[in-house]
Amino acid sequence: GAEIANPQVTANSTVGFGWSPDSRVFFVSTTSPRMNVDNGIRLFTYNGTEIKSVPWDNDKYRPDRLLEVSFVSALPDTYPDRPQSPGPKRIPGQAPAAAAAAASPAVAESKPAGRYVPPGARNRSGGTSLAERMRREKESSMVGATKVTQSKKPGAVPGQSSSSSGQPAKSATALRKQRQKAAKALREEEEKKKKEEEEAAAKLAEAAALEAARADPVKRGRKVQKMLKQISELKGRDPSTLNDDQRKKIAQEDELRKELESLQIKG
């Protein structure tokens, strides 16, 4: 058979390429507008032997540029199929019929095209539909998860989970309300403790004031008179504008007047 004359064909500035209808010859071309210089055609046999080179001369041809190159198409069955050339090498001990069968074009048995199956889902039993794959992914994501069993005790509500102590598990809303209630109770306890401390401090201050009054009645009397004057001003205001401390001060008016009388000072 024929040998490959040039296994590595070099064709610089190639723009086009094509095989002849008999598959024995191919061409390479350099054409415009991709290449505007060195336009031309080179012909090669199927084994790489160059048989002709046709440079494009702008002065001899019209149009003045080579735009495209192609073979003229042939009708079907004009060129029958040929066997492989060169033929396969005969293996020592192989029968001629086997060599001829290897040389003749083989028709591959075509398999019917089926639906695409991902590699991870191949060779598995069961369906490969979208629903089946989603079910498998869900089951695989649940591996290692603790299964919650329903209570089987008499009187248990179906579908209601229970804790280890046998009491029904509280919902997120119930837990949130429980935390809010505990926080409110803590605030009220702190406010009560603070109020008791303020009352105790007020009693200590009152006791200290009485002690000071015994030591200096005149000074205490002036202070009591000042407090009564403030009470009188508060009583002249709109009661709705008074705060708790101001109301407490007004409530002490009788007590302060009695103290002022005990000090034998006229208000």
Side-chain angles (χ1 to χ4, degrees):
E3 298 292 336
I4 297 177
N6 187 4
Q8 294 181 350
V9 178
T10 302
N12 296 324
S13 304
T14 298
V15 177
F17 169 83
W19 282 93
S20 63
D22 61 355
S23 302
R24 309 297 289 180
V25 178
F26 68 89
F27 75 85
V28 294
S29 63
T30 304
T31 59
S32 296
R34 179 70 180 274
M35 297 292 295
N36 292 322
V37 295
D38 298 333
N39 290 167
I41 309 167
R42 296 173 64 188
L43 292 175
F44 297 85
T45 60
Y46 70 94
N47 62 355
T49 302
E50 186 172 1
I51 56 177
K52 193 170 185 178
S53 177
V54 182
W56 187 263
D57 190 345
N58 292 339
D59 296 333
K60 294 181 180 180
Y61 303 103
R62 289 291 181 273
D64 59 354
R65 289 185 300 172
L66 181 60
L67 300 177
E68 185 178 2
V69 178
S70 64
F71 282 106
V72 178
S73 302
L75 295 174
D77 301 328
T78 302
Y79 301 100
D81 291 339
R82 298 184 181 184
Q84 178 180 343
S85 177
K89 295 181 179 180
R90 182 177 177 182
I91 301 175
Q94 186 181 30
S104 61
V107 179
E109 183 180 356
S110 62
K111 292 184 178 180
R115 62 184 176 183
Y116 173 75
V117 180
R122 295 172 186 172
N123 300 324
R124 288 185 179 181
S125 60
T128 55
S129 63
L130 177 60
E132 181 69 14
R133 294 198 298 271
M134 291 177 66
R135 184 183 65 80
R136 289 175 180 167
E137 291 176 1
K138 184 177 180 180
E139 290 178 353
S140 62
S141 64
M142 294 295 292
V143 174
T146 304
K147 185 176 181 181
V148 179
T149 58
Q150 296 183 353
S151 174
K152 299 300 182 181
K153 295 182 179 180
V157 179
Q160 183 180 24
S161 59
S162 59
S163 61
S164 58
S165 61
Q167 298 295 330
K170 295 182 178 180
S171 63
T173 304
L175 291 174
R176 184 172 65 253
K177 289 182 178 180
Q178 182 178 358
R179 289 193 296 267
Q180 292 174 351
K181 185 177 181 180
K184 182 179 179 181
L186 181 61
R187 288 195 302 269
E188 292 177 352
E189 183 67 23
E190 291 177 352
E191 291 175 358
K192 182 179 179 181
K193 185 177 180 181
K194 184 178 179 181
K195 186 176 181 180
E196 291 175 352
E197 291 176 353
E198 290 176 353
E199 292 177 354
K203 290 179 179 180
L204 289 175
E206 185 178 354
L210 292 175
E211 187 68 24
R214 295 190 187 98
D216 189 353
V218 178
K219 184 177 180 181
R220 176 61 183 173
R222 286 198 298 267
K223 185 174 182 180
V224 172
Q225 289 177 344
K226 184 178 179 180
M227 294 172 67
L228 289 172
K229 184 179 180 180
Q230 292 175 352
I231 291 172
S232 179
E233 293 176 354
L234 292 174
K235 290 172 68 177
R237 295 184 185 179
D238 185 358
S240 61
T241 62
L242 302 178
N243 56 31
D244 293 340
D245 293 337
Q246 292 171 340
R247 292 191 182 93
K248 288 181 181 179
K249 186 176 288 188
I250 293 175
Q252 294 175 353
E253 182 180 9
D254 294 340
E255 185 178 351
L256 291 173
R257 290 191 183 278
K258 290 178 181 180
E259 182 180 354
L260 190 62
E261 290 176 0
S262 66
L263 294 173
Q264 296 179 356
I265 301 175
K266 295 183 178 180

